[in-house]
Amino acid sequence: MPSLNYLSTSINGIHSEWEKVLLSPEIYPELLKIDKALSDCLQQGKVIYPPCDQIFTALKFCAPSDIKVVILGQDPYHGAGEAMGLSFSVPANARIPPSLRNIFKEQAQDLGLNPPQSGDLSHWAKQGVLLLNSALTVEADCAGSHAKIGWQTISNALIDKVNQANQGCVFLLWGNWARSKADRITSSRHLVLTAAHPSPLSASRGFLGCKHFSKANQWLNNHGYKAIDWAEKPEQNQLF
């Protein structure tokens, strides 16, 4: 089996069940094609986001069967210091992007929470929220630049794995691209909630007011799962 080049270190640390998907006979050849495309980009002097070791961050927290909520994005942020391998999320010290501000606005209205000061959504991921983008990489300052290098096949396989291996979770499909994945989801077992994208261009056309955060938690509670604590987690002071 040929070895990965650029992506070789990115798979380190992901859950073994996700690793089986990526290394499967059906998916690994597609991953090799992506690896070649990314290596070519580097040789051309292009900058790729997120950093290599963060490309599969979304797959490091939970097994597919333990996912409680899936939130689908399109591709990573393309500005320096923004993308971190989790859809819609940025590092704690980064400016909160407009779409994420609208997500926080809806969260505040829905749940009565204070708007977070940080755009880092890692505390969601640690509770079983899969923050997955359709394309897992992007060229610096060029939105959508890696949408056609093969990532769709990979993200579809990851969605399929959750659909098949998970006994029941909530899919939050925001925007046309995310809604196009609804046919891959067994709605008799999972809850599928759709809304407009949280982008400033569309948030007022059905995202704001969708109450997806409370609806997701109500469904989780009704099916015997622990609800997601969507509130920002303040940093704990270190004790000496």
Side-chain angles (χ1 to χ4, degrees):
M1 179 183 294
S3 298
L4 296 170
N5 182 17
Y6 182 75
L7 292 173
S8 59
T9 60
S10 65
I11 296 179
N12 293 340
I14 70 173
H15 193 279
S16 60
E17 291 301 310
W18 292 120
E19 186 175 1
K20 290 177 183 178
V21 176
L22 297 180
L23 302 183
S24 67
E26 300 81 13
I27 299 303
Y28 189 71
E30 298 301 317
L31 206 61
L32 287 172
K33 294 177 184 177
I34 296 171
D35 187 69
K36 174 65 165 56
L38 295 177
S39 297
D40 290 346
C41 284
L42 288 181
Q43 291 179 359
Q44 296 166 18
K46 297 177 179 178
V47 176
I48 299 171
Y49 297 132
C52 183
D53 62 347
Q54 297 178 17
I55 291 174
F56 293 112
T57 296
L59 309 181
K60 294 182 178 181
F61 296 93
C62 298
S65 58
D66 294 329
I67 296 297
K68 295 180 179 179
V69 178
V70 179
I71 299 179
L72 301 177
Q74 287 187 262
D75 64 344
Y77 298 118
H78 54 85
E82 295 180 330
M84 57 181 294
L86 301 173
S87 63
F88 296 105
S89 181
V90 293
N93 59 350
R95 178 186 64 87
I96 299 177
S99 291
L100 184 54
R101 286 196 179 277
N102 281 332
I103 290 172
F104 287 160
K105 182 178 180 180
E106 171 57 26
Q107 173 186 281
Q109 293 175 346
D110 184 13
L111 302 175
L113 301 175
N114 293 324
Q117 300 302 305
S118 165
D120 186 348
L121 304 180
S122 297
H123 61 289
W124 292 4
K126 292 174 182 177
Q127 298 177 74
V129 180
L130 179 64
L131 296 160
L132 181 67
N133 278 316
S134 171
L136 274 63
T137 59
V138 70
E139 182 183 329
D141 303 320
C142 192
S145 50
H146 290 178
K148 296 182 179 179
I149 68 170
W151 281 123
Q152 295 280 352
T153 300
I154 306 302
S155 55
N156 283 345
L158 299 174
I159 294 169
D160 291 345
K161 182 63 177 180
V162 176
N163 183 57
Q164 296 161 5
N166 196 291
Q167 291 300 307
C169 67
V170 182
F171 285 81
L172 304 184
L173 308 183
W174 300 335
N176 291 334
W177 174 82
R179 285 199 294 262
S180 74
K181 306 300 180 184
D183 289 344
R184 311 189 78 89
I185 302 165
T186 306
S187 58
S188 61
R189 190 165 74 252
H190 307 292
L191 176 64
V192 180
L193 299 175
T194 64
H197 194 276
S199 162
L201 297 175
S202 56
S204 62
R205 300 199 297 268
F207 177 77
L208 296 176
C210 69
K211 299 188 180 297
H212 279 187
F213 298 101
S214 60
K215 289 178 180 178
N217 276 353
Q218 181 178 5
W219 188 92
L220 291 170
N221 282 327
N222 290 344
H223 288 78
Y225 301 112
K226 185 178 180 180
I228 302 297
D229 183 357
W230 300 103
E232 181 178 23
K233 296 301 174 206
E235 294 184 5
Q236 298 296 319
N237 293 327
Q238 186 173 0
L239 300 177
F240 295 96

